[in-house]
Amino acid sequence: LDFIEITFVVVPIVGPILLTMGLDPVWLGIMIAINLQTSFLTPPFGFALFYLRGVAPEEIRTQDIYKGVMPFIAIQLVTLAMLALWPGLITWLPRLVYG
């Protein structure tokens, strides 16, 4: 539950500022969540990498784990870029449901 500490520190600081700038709160929440998820897979504080190291067999090196998560990091970065360029990808369903 390491994301709770990060969220409690970052969101109260940047959230009101970004919402005052007119950003959609749903979009902002999703972007923060994907950023947090990406941070769990990137060194030096990649918490998920430490968890994987703890359950992986001895013959799997830490370097192999780092190489193995690279495609997932790339997918998340592409997703962040797409959602930044086309915010409607996030907000179309809530607008459809809640009008």
Side-chain angles (χ1 to χ4, degrees):
L1 297 175
D2 300 316
F3 67 91
I4 293 174
E5 293 89 6
I6 296 169
T7 305
F8 281 154
V9 171
V10 173
V11 173
I13 295 171
V14 299
I17 297 168
L18 295 174
L19 293 175
T20 303
M21 293 171 54
L23 293 177
D24 185 281
V26 174
W27 181 84
L28 181 59
I30 297 296
M31 293 297 280
I32 290 172
I34 294 173
N35 270 308
L36 280 172
Q37 183 180 8
T38 304
S39 74
F40 294 153
L41 291 176
T42 54
F45 300 111
F47 297 116
L49 299 174
F50 295 129
Y51 303 146
L52 288 170
R53 176 70 271 164
V55 298
E58 287 291 322
E59 59 269 8
I60 296 178
R61 300 176 307 170
T62 304
Q63 184 178 13
D64 296 330
I65 293 172
Y66 286 176
K67 287 179 184 177
V69 298
M70 292 295 188
F72 298 99
I73 294 170
I75 290 169
Q76 290 176 346
L77 292 176
V78 168
T79 301
L80 276 171
M82 286 175 50
L83 296 176
L85 290 172
W86 298 290
L89 293 173
I90 294 175
T91 57
W92 73 271
L93 185 59
R95 286 192 181 143
L96 181 69
V97 173
Y98 299 108

